[in-house]
Amino acid sequence: MTSNPPGQGFQNKNRVAILAELDKEKRRLIQNQTMNSPGASIPLSRPAVNKDFRDHAEQQHIAAQQKAALQHAHAHSSGFFITQDSSFGNLILPVLPRQEPE
């Protein structure tokens, strides 16, 4: 059997009391929120429009980042690069030329 260090019981009781207080506060806030806005659970059609707008803006931002990365790579490297979606989040990928077998 393991022995608990002195004060361990006090710490556990303190943690339990803090967790209980947080849970009570969380329930109170949820209850106040539902009382203050009874129609809050009704979904609105606007968020879909906002999501589409956000997705479009994000795509434009990624395209701008790809263009900047491609220009930087061409300016500072002698290699060839292309923009392509990557599973690893790379904005541009290096392209190695194929050499004909001799």
Side-chain angles (χ1 to χ4, degrees), residues 84-91 93:
Q84 182 175 346
D85 292 335
S86 168
S87 300
F88 301 101
N90 299 323
L91 297 175
L93 300 174

Side-chain angles (χ1 to χ4, degrees), residues 24-84:
K24 186 172 30 170
E25 183 70 18
K26 177 181 169 185
R27 289 180 190 193
R28 186 184 64 78
L29 289 171
I30 290 172
Q31 186 179 18
N32 285 344
Q33 184 180 14
T34 57
M35 288 178 145
N36 290 338
S37 55
S41 62
I42 299 171
L44 302 174
S45 60
R46 287 292 284 173
V49 173
N50 288 340
K51 184 181 182 297
D52 291 340
F53 178 74
R54 249 191 337 236
D55 290 345
H56 181 66
E58 186 176 317
Q59 287 174 352
Q60 285 182 333
H61 180 67
I62 289 173
Q65 284 181 325
Q66 282 181 332
K67 183 178 177 183
L70 189 61
Q71 288 174 347
H72 180 78
H74 283 155
H76 299 303
S77 174
S78 60
F80 299 99
F81 298 89
I82 60 168
T83 58
Q84 182 175 346

